[in-house]
Amino acid sequence: MMKKNFRLFITSDIISQFGAGLILVALNWYIIDIYHSNSLIAIVANINVIAGILISIVAVGILKCINARWLVISSICFRIFFIVLALVLFKMNLDKKLAIYLLALSGGIGWNLYFPASKDILNSFMTEDNALQINSFAEISMQVGLLTATLFSGILYRYVGFKNILVIGIVLFVSSLLIFSSVKYSEQNKIKADKNVKLFSYFLKEKWLLLLGIVLYIPFIGTNIITTALPGYIKDHLSGNSIVYGITDTMYGVGA
């Protein structure tokens, strides 16, 4: 039974990651294709990152108050709502830049609510003997979802267009939500934290953890720099299309 629920959880995770990657890659190419602006891609990346950092701090407290299952469900519903809202703005030819910013918020907030909650649930499938294997498998599933998404996103953008990719993204997130809703797992006994302990004072006390976080964040900065410059470079200097961009971006997933 545990193996079945773990497989359902991983399947839901792959579909969710696939949907997120599909929209992110298509959004970057849409910006360079329509607005020819690396600066706008940088703004979208900043919205995504800053919203993600802020929500990550809040997510720590949220996880202490509500069930991880509901946080995962809420994060997926949040994404669906913002993508639908952005799609409506595109379809009605209203403020397209606002729609782009909403998609950036959807990614930043949705992902950073989903990630800690999903890891919390992942712990329920772990034992002392299988922790490394389960963690590795979960990381591989995430990269598989993103890897295939970037490749398909470039192809789909060329043949069905950006708006239809948003529709596909909605369908994928709904599918992920339905599969995840059927997952059964045991809630972990959480250690009650002292309510008077503040997050930043905790990090100052545990300096090694703060240093580790900074070290782990450095490659992410490099990735964002490359991701921001890549669409414009492929379009303007290599005269490539969305398929070339999708294949190039897929190399991140292959490496991972």
Side-chain angles (χ1 to χ4, degrees), residues 27-242:
L27 178 62
N28 283 343
W29 190 258
Y30 175 82
I31 291 170
I32 209 70
D33 191 30
I34 302 300
Y35 294 99
H36 308 284
S37 173
N38 278 324
S39 298
L40 185 54
I41 292 178
I43 291 171
V44 166
N46 286 334
I47 291 172
N48 193 306
V49 171
I50 293 170
I53 291 172
L54 293 175
I55 205 66
S56 293
I57 296 171
V58 176
V60 175
I62 293 175
L63 268 173
K64 293 176 183 177
C65 303
I66 70 171
N67 186 292
R69 173 188 291 275
W70 286 110
L71 190 55
V72 168
I73 291 173
S74 299
S75 71
I76 297 174
C77 289
F78 178 89
R79 281 180 159 181
I80 293 169
F81 174 76
F82 270 59
I83 296 168
V84 169
L85 196 57
L87 185 60
V88 169
L89 290 174
F90 280 123
K91 288 285 188 182
M92 297 182 69
N93 287 318
L94 297 175
D95 194 336
K96 292 183 179 179
K97 283 193 176 180
L98 176 59
I100 289 171
Y101 298 149
L102 288 174
L103 290 173
L105 278 174
S106 167
I109 297 175
W111 164 250
N112 287 281
L113 282 176
Y114 174 84
F115 186 76
S118 65
K119 290 298 182 185
D120 196 47
I121 293 170
L122 192 65
N123 286 337
S124 67
F125 297 108
M126 290 185 191
T127 64
E128 191 173 341
D129 297 327
N130 69 6
L132 181 60
Q133 289 87 346
I134 284 185
N135 258 322
S136 298
F137 195 79
E139 180 66 21
I140 290 169
S141 74
M142 180 181 76
Q143 296 301 337
V144 167
L146 292 173
L147 181 153
T148 52
T150 52
L151 180 61
F152 278 97
S153 184
I155 297 171
L156 287 171
Y157 186 94
R158 185 166 180 83
Y159 293 107
V160 304
F162 182 59
K163 294 173 189 176
N164 286 324
I165 287 177
L166 294 182
V167 174
I168 293 169
I170 293 168
V171 172
L172 288 168
F173 280 121
V174 170
S175 301
S176 174
L177 179 61
L178 293 175
I179 294 171
F180 176 78
S181 299
S182 65
V183 175
K184 295 180 176 60
Y185 67 96
S186 300
E187 281 289 328
Q188 298 296 296
N189 293 322
K190 298 180 182 179
I191 299 172
K192 291 184 178 179
D194 184 352
K195 292 182 179 179
N196 295 320
V197 174
K198 302 297 183 182
L199 183 62
F200 291 108
S201 62
Y202 174 77
F203 276 127
L204 289 173
K205 182 180 177 183
E206 303 290 344
K207 292 183 176 61
W208 66 271
L209 188 58
L210 181 62
L211 179 62
L212 177 63
I214 293 171
V215 169
L216 291 174
Y217 201 75
I218 291 171
F220 182 66
I221 296 171
T223 300
N224 265 343
I225 292 171
I226 294 171
T227 302
T228 301
L230 191 61
Y233 181 78
I234 288 175
K235 186 174 180 65
D236 297 334
H237 296 278
L238 302 182
S239 300
N241 56 28
S242 62

